Amino acid sequence: METQHVMDSATCNGQHNICQVIYSQFGLAIHQNDHQVRRRFVEWAQNEIDVVPDFHKRILFSDEAHFWLNGYVNKQNCRIWSEANPQVYVETTLHPKTLTVWCALWGGGIIGPEFFKNDEGHNRYRAMITNFFIFELNNHDVQELWFQQDGATCHTARATIDLLKDTFGDRLISRFGPVNWPPRSCDLTPLDFFLWGYVKSLVYADKPQTLDHLQDNIRRVIADIRPQMLEKVIEN
């Protein structure tokens, strides 16, 4: 077993109270100017919604998540608010069998899942965009859609950004993109605050014993998500 320590973060001021957010997976800290970057993004989004009321339904939010065969739930998206480091430890197996899953979610449905091998490197993402995502977009009116991705290194390589700009033009929300995505803003994406938790709550019910079985379960659960549920998620 390996033990993973929850690292402390920088302090932040909110309503005259000092608080700390503890990022339990990667030890990421809230940076001093994060709230300013987020405010700029939210103001931009609100202005877009003022012009196009259903603008938020036209954003393809994208993300990846890890699924462990043994049912261990990735704590990447767990947040602990505390005035002091809670000294939490998370124990995981040293070399668990894992699937990395990518999806894009918008008001019209879910594109994906697409599955990665963990050792494929940065080129895996660009290859997925080229061979899977752009192909799937042929079923949608790309001229009306925006694309969002977080600031992971493999997402923001110059060749990948250029490829996404060729597809979406100025309708790209990303680090190094026309519209900057505020870092450490997982609570703004419907995949982080809804999809991954929902899927993980269901795919282990029959205790899959192989990665192929787990992959089949993930495909089935995502395929069963109804448009009405997605509409509520996007509104939230």
Side-chain angles (χ1 to χ4, degrees):
M1 303 288 284
E2 63 179 359
T3 301
Q4 188 171 48
H5 183 223
V6 175
M7 296 182 67
D8 199 356
S9 76
T11 60
C12 61
N13 287 310
Q15 297 180 346
H16 307 292
N17 294 322
I18 300 297
C19 62
Q20 296 173 314
V21 60
I22 310 300
Y23 282 72
S24 63
Q25 177 70 10
F26 297 115
L28 297 176
I30 291 290
H31 292 184
Q32 186 174 5
N33 67 338
D34 278 356
H35 67 286
Q36 297 172 346
V37 177
R38 177 180 287 217
R39 178 181 292 275
R40 286 196 295 269
F41 175 79
V42 170
E43 288 174 348
W44 168 83
Q46 287 177 332
N47 289 335
E48 293 293 329
I49 291 173
D50 288 341
V51 176
V52 182
D54 66 344
F55 172 74
H56 56 296
K57 299 179 181 179
R58 301 183 183 186
I59 302 175
L60 273 162
F61 293 93
S62 70
D63 194 24
E64 296 139 319
H66 301 307
F67 286 72
W68 274 258
L69 183 60
N70 62 6
Y72 166 74
V73 176
N74 183 9
K75 302 299 183 182
Q76 172 182 349
N77 301 323
C78 293
R79 304 294 180 259
I80 302 172
W81 292 92
S82 174
E83 293 181 354
N85 191 330
Q87 301 294 328
V88 176
Y89 290 81
V90 178
E91 292 187 347
T92 66
T93 54
L94 186 59
H95 299 294
K97 293 183 178 179
T98 311
L99 281 176
T100 301
V101 185
W102 178 93
C103 285
L105 185 156
W106 64 302
I110 297 175
I111 297 177
E114 183 70 354
F115 299 92
F116 297 140
K117 295 179 181 178
N118 289 334
D119 57 355
E120 289 177 333
H122 288 181
N123 290 335
R124 69 178 189 178
Y125 185 74
R126 187 160 62 251
M128 183 278 298
I129 294 292
T130 302
N131 300 326
F132 172 74
F133 180 51
I134 292 178
F135 177 80
E136 290 293 321
L137 285 176
N138 292 332
N139 298 322
H140 306 283
D141 185 358
V142 179
Q143 298 302 317
E144 296 296 325
L145 295 179
W146 289 66
F147 180 69
Q148 176 274 338
Q149 61 177 6
D150 64 25
T153 304
C154 62
H155 297 176
T156 57
R158 178 174 296 180
T160 302
I161 292 293
D162 289 344
L163 176 61
L164 291 170
K165 285 182 178 178
D166 286 343
T167 304
F168 292 97
D170 290 336
R171 301 183 312 281
L172 174 62
I173 304 170
S174 170
R175 184 185 180 195
F176 304 138
V179 178
N180 186 44
W181 175 250
R184 292 163 291 279
S185 296
C186 56
D187 58 308
L188 295 182
T189 73
L191 295 100
D192 276 325
F193 70 70
F194 161 70
L195 183 66
W196 300 135
Y198 177 79
V199 174
K200 289 178 180 181
S201 71
L202 298 175
V203 296
Y204 297 106
D206 60 355
K207 296 180 173 57
Q209 298 300 306
T210 66
L211 290 179
D212 286 342
H213 186 179
L214 178 58
Q215 182 170 309
D216 289 342
N217 284 0
I218 293 170
R219 289 189 185 277
R220 173 181 50 79
V221 169
I222 290 177
D224 286 343
I225 296 176
R226 300 295 91 192
Q228 295 81 356
M229 180 181 292
L230 295 179
E231 289 177 7
K232 293 180 180 178
V233 170
I234 293 295
E235 289 297 331
N236 286 334

